[in-house]
């Protein structure tokens, strides 16, 4: 929604973006399964629609060093 011109900011438009983000395919059907309840489902659906980018595979290939504690 931040990419929208400020004059388009409205409660109705805000609710539209919430629906696009939180529901499978961006549509609330009123059924339990249309809601993306789990992070994995949310990430898969929003990545598939180009709203986010799943970096899991890119990050999994990198080694992370954790500081040692005494």
């Amino acid at each position: 929604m931040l990419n929208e011109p400020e004059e388009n900011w409205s409660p109705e438009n805000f609710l539209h973006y919430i629906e696009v983000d939180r529901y499978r395919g961006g549509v609330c059907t009123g059924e339990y399964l249309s809601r993306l309840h789990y992070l994995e489902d949310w990430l898969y659906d929003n990545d598939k629609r180009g709203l986010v980018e799943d970096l899991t595979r890119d990050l999994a290939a990198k080694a992370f060093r954790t500081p040692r504690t005494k």
Side-chain angles (χ1 to χ4, degrees):
M1 185 167 172
L2 293 175
N3 293 330
E4 288 279 342
E6 199 167 331
E7 59 268 10
N8 290 345
W9 293 6
S10 67
E12 294 81 16
N13 207 11
F14 181 64
L15 289 174
H16 165 73
Y17 279 104
I18 289 175
E19 181 175 355
V20 166
D21 181 64
R22 294 185 183 173
Y23 291 88
R24 198 170 312 282
V27 178
C28 176
T29 65
E31 295 184 17
Y32 179 83
L33 293 177
S34 71
R35 175 74 190 263
L36 298 166
H37 294 277
Y38 300 102
L39 180 60
E40 293 83 4
D41 289 339
W42 179 88
L43 185 56
Y44 175 79
D45 190 74
N46 282 285
D47 180 55
K48 187 170 71 171
R49 293 184 290 128
L51 299 177
V52 298
E53 182 181 355
D54 184 356
L55 301 175
T56 305
R57 288 193 173 126
D58 295 336
L59 295 176
K62 298 182 192 274
F64 290 95
R65 291 187 97 180
T66 56
R68 293 183 181 200
T69 59
K70 293 183 180 186

